């Protein structure tokens, strides 16, 4: 059950930084990998050549293990898969899809393949295909999410597969990591906490909005299109909600959503942009370096785990 993910991936801490399109760039990813975690490069906003350039920059910045994520809904997924093989990426995570193009090619090239799954059925399918581990992501997470909470999803996925399961969604401190361990997690993936890393180059407005966020500040848009996306509630989500209520077509909704993440991340327009965030943003209070975040998370985690037996008698 608790496979050793640090040994499998040759990392110091069992902590992944979630791939966030436009956000998880070589600067952030290298800071996490150099700090002892697993930095995960996002490619959801890139084409094949953009992806190659980002991987090469990342290789310049770190000699430690890193991962690259393929967003399987991306129109460029196929050419990105090809680039990952050519660039001999050591760890590949996937999101937003249940079929991986080039799975065999990835494994023959020597990569470990770790898909994100929102349900037991999809976890089982990938396990049967021979992936190395899965990331079970609860609906608390930011961005494109499934419907089940981390609390309910984790133990069910752990029981359904015999490969390591990484927990994602709703984790931002050592307590969350300890709780996930009790549910059977072999590692943890955090996105929201790394939004406020010093090396995270998102617009300052985005960072401050995360730091200010409260527990009830996120909503999911896109419930009617079958692709719910968790974001901070703002003017854009209110317009989106209105449009969904009057049964706007998926095309109309897409038009509103298109470019919205870039608007928030790059332009700092947190009113009209898509400020993707997990529900745990209310727990994220301060900017720190990626290394400080990793060290603090792990120290909190170890202290809680060591003390856990004292809670019973
Ligand atoms: O992929 C994510 N999170 C993301 S991707 C993204 S970019 C985007 N922007 C706008 C609309 C849609 C995407 C922002 N956030 N997380 C991993 C994840 N994967 N969450 C859920 C899933 C998932 C969903 C369905 C995995 C497999 C799956 O299979 C269903 C099928 O039938 O393919």
């Amino acid at each position: 059950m608790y496979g050793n993910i640090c040994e499998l991936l040759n990392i110091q801490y069992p902590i992944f930084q979630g791939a966030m399109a436009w956000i998880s760039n070589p600067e952030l990813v290298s800071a996490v990998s150099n700090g002892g975690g697993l930095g995960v490069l996002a490619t959801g906003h890139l084409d094949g050549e953009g992806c190659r350039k980002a991987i090469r920059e990342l290789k310049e910045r770190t000699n430690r293990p890193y991962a690259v994520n393929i967003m399987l809904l991306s129109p460029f997924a196929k050419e990105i898969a090809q680039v990952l093989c050519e660039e001999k990426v050591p760890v590949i995570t996937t999101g937003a899809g249940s079929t991986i193009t080039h799975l065999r090619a990835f494994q023959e090239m020597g990569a470990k393949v770790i898909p994100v799954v929102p349900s037991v059925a999809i976890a089982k399918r990938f396990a049967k295909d021979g992936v190395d581990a899965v990331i079970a992501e609860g609906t608390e997470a930011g961005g494109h999410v499934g419907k089940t909470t981390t609390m309910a999803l984790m133990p069910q996925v752990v029981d359904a597969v015999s490969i390591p399961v990484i927990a994602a969604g709703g984790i931002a401190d050592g307590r969350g990591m300890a709780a996930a361990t009790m549910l059977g997690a072999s590692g943890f993936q955090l996105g929201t906490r790394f939004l406020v890393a010093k090396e995270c180059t998102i617009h300052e407005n985005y960072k401050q909005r995360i730091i200010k966020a409260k527990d009830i500040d996120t909503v999911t848009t896109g419930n009617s299109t079958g692709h719910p996306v968790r974001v901070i509630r703002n003017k854009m989500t209110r317009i989106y909600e209105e449009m969904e209520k009057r049964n706007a077509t998926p095309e109309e909704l897409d038009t509103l959503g298109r470019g919205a993440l870039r608007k928030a991340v790059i332009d700092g327009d947190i009113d009209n942009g898509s400020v993707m965030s997990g529900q745990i943003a209310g727990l994220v209070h301060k900017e720190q370096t990626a290394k400080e975040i990793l060290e603090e998370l792990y120290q909190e985690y170890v202290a809680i785990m060591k003390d856990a037996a004292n809670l019973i008698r």
Side-chain angles (χ1 to χ4, degrees):
M1 175 169 73
Y2 296 94
N4 191 334
I5 206 76
C6 291
E7 261 171 39
L8 181 74
L9 304 179
N10 192 25
I11 52 178
Q12 187 184 354
Y13 302 118
I15 302 170
F16 297 12
Q17 150 264 311
M20 299 169 278
W22 289 104
I23 299 170
S24 303
N25 56 15
E27 215 158 327
L28 176 62
V29 174
S30 60
V32 173
S33 285
N34 288 335
L38 185 75
V40 187
L41 185 75
T43 65
H45 59 304
L46 301 174
D47 62 11
E49 283 318 300
C51 170
R52 192 190 307 279
K53 194 163 160 267
I55 293 170
R56 293 200 173 160
E57 190 186 334
L58 179 55
K59 286 175 178 169
E60 296 278 309
R61 288 173 173 269
T62 188
N63 293 319
R64 307 286 282 271
Y66 63 89
V68 178
N69 175 268
I70 308 191
M71 213 281 268
L72 296 168
L73 283 176
S74 160
F76 303 108
K78 212 166 174 181
E79 59 183 75
I80 285 174
Q82 181 72 38
V83 170
L84 302 193
C85 287
E86 289 163 9
E87 294 297 321
K88 304 236 175 307
V89 169
V91 183
I92 296 171
T93 69
T94 71
S98 57
T99 321
I100 309 177
T101 45
H102 295 216
L103 174 60
R104 288 286 160 265
F106 290 160
Q107 293 184 320
E108 273 161 27
M109 172 273 280
K112 302 280 185 256
V113 180
I114 311 183
V116 173
V117 300
S119 71
V120 168
I122 293 173
K124 275 177 140 168
R125 162 115 60 92
F126 278 130
K128 206 166 133 215
D129 288 345
V131 302
D132 297 275
V134 291
I135 302 165
E137 187 188 76
T139 192
E140 300 93 319
H144 177 48
V145 287
K147 292 203 165 109
T148 309
T149 60
T150 303
M151 185 80 156
L153 181 63
M154 267 303 295
Q156 297 188 71
V157 171
V158 168
D159 281 355
V161 301
S162 50
I163 48 179
V165 181
I166 315 303
I171 305 174
D173 67 6
R175 290 173 296 181
M177 288 163 49
T181 299
M182 297 306 171
L183 302 174
S186 299
F188 322 98
Q189 176 163 283
L190 286 66
T192 306
R193 177 81 188 257
F194 287 108
L195 285 174
V196 299
K198 287 213 166 105
E199 299 88 346
C200 181
T201 57
I202 58 174
H203 197 284
E204 191 57 25
N205 294 351
Y206 199 133
K207 263 190 198 179
Q208 289 309 319
R209 185 65 192 89
I210 296 298
I211 287 172
K212 258 187 27 206
K214 297 193 185 58
D215 56 342
I216 56 168
D217 284 358
T218 72
V219 291
T220 55
T221 59
N223 300 306
S224 63
T225 65
H227 295 300
V229 176
R230 184 172 303 287
V231 294
I232 301 268
R233 191 190 313 103
N234 62 5
K235 187 173 156 199
M236 184 276 293
T237 65
R238 278 187 281 274
I239 295 172
Y240 201 104
E241 230 168 74
E242 280 305 309
M243 285 170 66
E244 279 190 315
K245 256 189 223 148
R246 62 168 179 81
N247 295 322
T249 64
E251 289 72 33
E252 283 178 275
L253 293 167
D254 256 13
T255 309
L256 181 67
R258 197 164 308 130
L261 180 58
R262 185 185 193 285
K263 228 184 257 178
V265 174
I266 310 289
D267 306 340
D269 186 349
I270 59 169
D271 299 319
N272 302 294
S274 178
V275 186
M276 294 191 190
S277 165
Q279 288 183 327
I280 203 70
L283 207 68
V284 174
H285 304 304
K286 58 177 187 291
E287 205 176 350
Q288 291 166 297
T289 65
K291 190 167 193 294
E292 285 165 351
I293 293 174
L294 289 162
E295 284 170 355
E296 185 175 296
L297 286 169
Y298 203 68
Q299 275 166 17
E300 286 171 1
Y301 173 66
V302 168
I304 295 167
M305 294 301 292
K306 282 189 174 159
D307 202 36
N310 295 327
L311 296 171
I312 53 167
R313 58 192 181 109

